[in-house]
Amino acid sequence: AAAAIARASAGADGAVVGGERPAVDTVLLLDRGLDTVTPLLTPLTHEGLLDEILGIEGGTHLALRASAFMSAADIEAGKGDPDDPESLLYFPLQTAGDPIYSSIRNLHTAAAGRELSALARSLAETRANFRNKKSDVTVAELHEFVRGGQLASFAGMKSGLDRHIRLANVVKAVTSDPTFMAGWQTERSALEGEGVVDKAEEAALCGHTGPVRVLRWACLQSAVSGGIKAGRLDALRRAVVQRHGYGAALAMQRAEGAGML
């Protein structure tokens, strides 16, 4: 695959085709065995959390039900059917042509929120300045503003900003939940050398944490500590089976077969 991309973007002599360097000019391949810890951690970047919480499809877009943006009051009032398949909303996530997404995708989720707030203030100031001076604007200046693309650019930026703010609010609602924050703290504890198998077992028995996250904590503990004692692992397996059934136990067995437990 890397060779095919290289041939497509460069000529026979290695020169860049068309005189311009393509948007993707380098392919970096990493063996996942070099770092087995990072994939087990909850991401902290805006894009990583969008994928973790909402699921980015094909790396290009989100497909969300309208209920993701409906308040409990709206649902109770019968404003739309939250389970209607036709109520899906599609949000493209592409860096090309979307400067807002390009600027926030790799930021920490808190920094992404601050960046969106700053952009919103900037757009509001631009609109206020134009409205304050519109009495002094000549017909020629107004014509240039419309025909020159500034109006369309402003409208497009505002629409894109509204879309990203809605997505950021969905992410914030999840990450502000005490259960989610406790999960982050559990991962941090594991990285600092503390045992988290007891927390994973308790979470499995209480049922307030899904089996996937429990399994991730166990694999994380195994990765940073060089394994888990057989007795502790058996106790965790019993807790998982008791609460989540044998399907979760099969997942644990596969993780063991892959050397992750």
Side-chain angles (χ1 to χ4, degrees):
I5 295 175
R7 287 194 300 270
S9 61
D13 59 354
V16 177
V17 175
E20 296 183 1
R21 186 171 296 278
V24 178
D25 63 354
T26 303
V27 176
L28 182 62
L29 302 179
L30 294 177
D31 185 343
R32 189 70 272 171
L34 296 175
D35 177 15
T36 58
V37 173
T38 300
L40 299 172
L41 300 174
T42 301
L44 298 176
T45 64
H46 179 66
E47 184 178 55
L49 282 169
L50 284 178
D51 189 38
E52 176 84 8
I53 297 171
L54 302 174
I56 299 177
E57 298 188 7
T60 60
H61 68 279
L62 293 168
L64 308 176
R65 294 192 180 279
S67 57
F69 302 102
M70 294 173 62
S71 65
D74 289 338
I75 296 176
E76 291 180 0
K79 296 182 179 180
D81 183 0
D83 296 321
D84 183 2
E86 296 183 359
S87 68
L88 284 178
L89 303 176
Y90 293 90
F91 293 84
L93 296 175
Q94 299 178 358
T95 55
D98 190 345
I100 296 177
Y101 186 58
S102 298
S103 65
I104 65 174
R105 59 179 299 207
N106 293 321
L107 294 180
H108 186 283
T109 179
R114 292 192 295 269
E115 180 70 14
L116 290 174
S117 297
L119 288 172
R121 288 194 298 270
S122 177
L123 283 181
E125 291 174 0
T126 300
R127 181 182 180 182
N129 291 338
F130 181 77
R131 295 186 65 179
N132 291 336
K133 63 177 292 189
K134 67 179 181 180
S135 58
D136 300 327
V137 175
T138 65
V139 174
E141 290 175 333
L142 183 60
H143 181 75
E144 177 61 26
F145 181 78
V146 175
R147 292 292 300 274
Q150 298 179 53
L151 179 60
S153 177
F154 180 86
M157 182 69 73
K158 185 179 184 304
S159 175
L161 181 61
D162 290 342
R163 180 173 67 249
H164 286 296
I165 288 177
R166 292 171 72 185
L167 292 175
N169 285 336
V170 173
V171 171
K172 183 179 180 180
V174 175
T175 57
S176 299
D177 184 86
T179 301
F180 197 88
M181 298 179 68
W184 264 345
Q185 185 58 49
T186 298
E187 295 173 0
R188 181 181 180 88
S189 298
L191 293 177
E192 293 176 348
E194 299 180 20
V196 298
V197 176
D198 288 341
K199 293 182 180 179
E201 184 178 349
E202 179 184 353
L205 289 172
C206 294
H208 56 71
T209 302
V212 174
R213 174 159 285 198
V214 170
L215 181 57
R216 283 169 62 172
W217 290 348
C219 291
L220 179 61
Q221 178 72 69
S222 179
V224 300
S225 303
I228 300 175
K229 292 183 178 180
R232 304 298 301 282
L233 187 59
D234 288 340
L236 177 60
R237 184 183 292 105
R238 286 194 296 270
V240 169
V241 171
Q242 179 178 339
R243 185 68 188 187
H244 301 289
Y246 286 98
L250 180 60
M252 289 189 66
Q253 183 179 0
R254 290 175 176 172
E256 289 183 68
M260 300 178 67
L261 275 177

